[in-house]
Amino acid sequence: MRKKFLLLVTMIGLLAILSGCMDVNQPIDENTEGFWAEWFVYPMSWLITYFAELFNGNYGLSIVIVTIIVRLVLLPLNVKQLKSSKAMQDIQPELKEIQKKYSSKDAKTQQQLQQETMALFQKHGVNPLAGCLPIFVQMPILIAIYHAIMRTEAIQTHTFLWFQLGQADPFFILPIVAGGATFLQQKLMMAGSPASQNPQMMVMLYVMPIMITVFAMFFPSALALYWVVGNIFMVAQTLFIRKPMMKNASTGGDEK
């Protein structure tokens, strides 16, 4: 679990670096050069502009639509991540027995611990890294949307609902909703899993929503809108996918 925590912290740091240090303030168009701009950012910018033109220049609605489309495309990866998390949860009792059996810290015992742990993973077909791979695959796409929103000039001058897309939400409604949805999604993910007993992961349960809320207070509302829609989608996804799995586990899903 400690390795997963360090991996999560590393990914957050990487996200911050990629989000803040890659010409985020430079406008994007079809003439913008660079692999990242041409193959990731501009396609997202074009997609947002395309849907905005379909709805009479409504860039706010376009951001909502594109965010949902991207989340639907990434849905198989998220399902894989959830199933991997559930599989790891299912073998926790056996894993704890092995760790208890080989609790000594000498090199020979630790080697036996690693061997039996790997044998347990193979027995149940569990890959401890399978839950991390979908996250790495999604990161470039999600960061590209962030850049597209920040670098598409037309977005900055349009309004949607009560806010202007290029400015921060004056009433802080979007930041609060974004932070609340982030907390709820993480809480649902941790429910009934070993992560809920891990102090480090519990810290992240509160740190991430606070970070999202604070960022959304100062960033353009277009980006906060993207976070709100994406996080609400993830909450719904977790409810529809993870909850049934947890229910089956608690009631003995293998029973006929």
Side-chain angles (χ1 to χ4, degrees):
M1 188 61 68
R2 181 175 299 176
K3 291 182 179 179
K4 288 187 175 181
F5 174 76
L6 293 175
L7 178 61
L8 180 60
V9 172
T10 301
M11 288 188 342
I12 294 173
L14 179 61
L15 175 60
I17 293 173
L18 291 176
S19 299
C21 302
M22 297 181 63
D23 299 322
V24 70
N25 295 318
Q26 298 298 319
I28 187 82
D29 56 41
E30 67 273 13
N31 298 316
T32 304
E33 298 180 351
F35 177 82
W36 172 250
E38 292 181 16
W39 294 96
F40 287 90
V41 182
Y42 179 68
M44 290 296 175
S45 176
W46 178 88
L47 195 61
I48 292 172
T49 302
Y50 172 78
F51 281 105
E53 292 174 350
L54 284 182
F55 294 96
N56 300 317
N58 193 328
Y59 279 87
L61 181 58
S62 177
I63 290 172
V64 172
I65 293 172
V66 172
T67 302
I68 293 175
I69 290 175
V70 170
R71 287 296 181 180
L72 286 172
V73 171
L74 295 175
L75 185 58
L77 289 174
N78 291 322
V79 171
K80 183 178 179 64
Q81 181 183 350
L82 287 169
K83 288 183 176 180
S84 175
S85 175
K86 177 62 170 56
M88 284 295 296
Q89 179 184 338
D90 289 342
I91 66 171
Q92 284 303 307
E94 293 180 69
L95 186 59
K96 288 181 179 179
E97 285 297 323
I98 294 175
Q99 291 172 342
K100 182 178 179 180
K101 179 180 179 181
Y102 298 103
S103 58
S104 178
K105 299 301 181 182
D106 63 274
K108 183 179 180 179
T109 303
Q110 288 299 299
Q111 184 178 10
Q112 291 176 315
L113 171 62
Q114 292 178 5
Q115 291 175 348
E116 290 214 16
T117 299
M118 292 305 298
L120 177 64
F121 289 157
Q122 292 175 358
K123 175 184 175 182
H124 293 276
V126 174
N127 183 351
L129 298 180
C132 302
L133 181 59
I135 300 177
F136 282 112
V137 174
Q138 293 179 56
M139 290 299 284
I141 299 174
L142 299 179
I143 296 173
I145 297 179
Y146 162 80
H147 276 251
I149 291 173
M150 296 294 287
R151 298 175 66 178
T152 303
E153 290 185 301
I155 293 177
Q156 311 303 318
T157 58
H158 284 74
T159 59
F160 181 64
L161 299 178
W162 68 88
F163 50 87
Q164 184 168 331
L165 294 172
Q167 299 180 7
D169 182 354
F171 303 111
F172 304 120
I173 296 175
L174 287 177
I176 293 173
V177 175
T182 301
F183 175 82
L184 181 57
Q185 193 269 331
Q186 291 188 144
K187 187 73 172 178
L188 290 171
M189 282 287 293
M190 290 183 181
S193 71
S196 62
Q197 307 298 323
N198 186 283
Q200 296 171 325
M201 296 303 296
M202 292 304 295
V203 168
M204 295 306 300
L205 173 65
Y206 295 97
V207 169
M208 280 299 293
I210 292 174
M211 288 175 57
I212 291 293
T213 302
V214 172
F215 288 160
M217 285 181 177
F218 298 98
F219 281 26
S221 293
L223 185 60
L225 177 64
Y226 158 65
W227 280 333
V228 166
V229 176
N231 288 335
I232 291 177
F233 183 96
M234 293 294 289
V235 168
Q237 169 192 282
T238 306
L239 286 172
F240 280 104
I241 298 174
R242 182 175 173 81
K243 282 296 184 179
M245 290 193 300
M246 297 299 297
K247 183 178 180 180
N248 289 338
S250 62
T251 58
D254 293 335
E255 294 180 1
K256 301 296 182 181

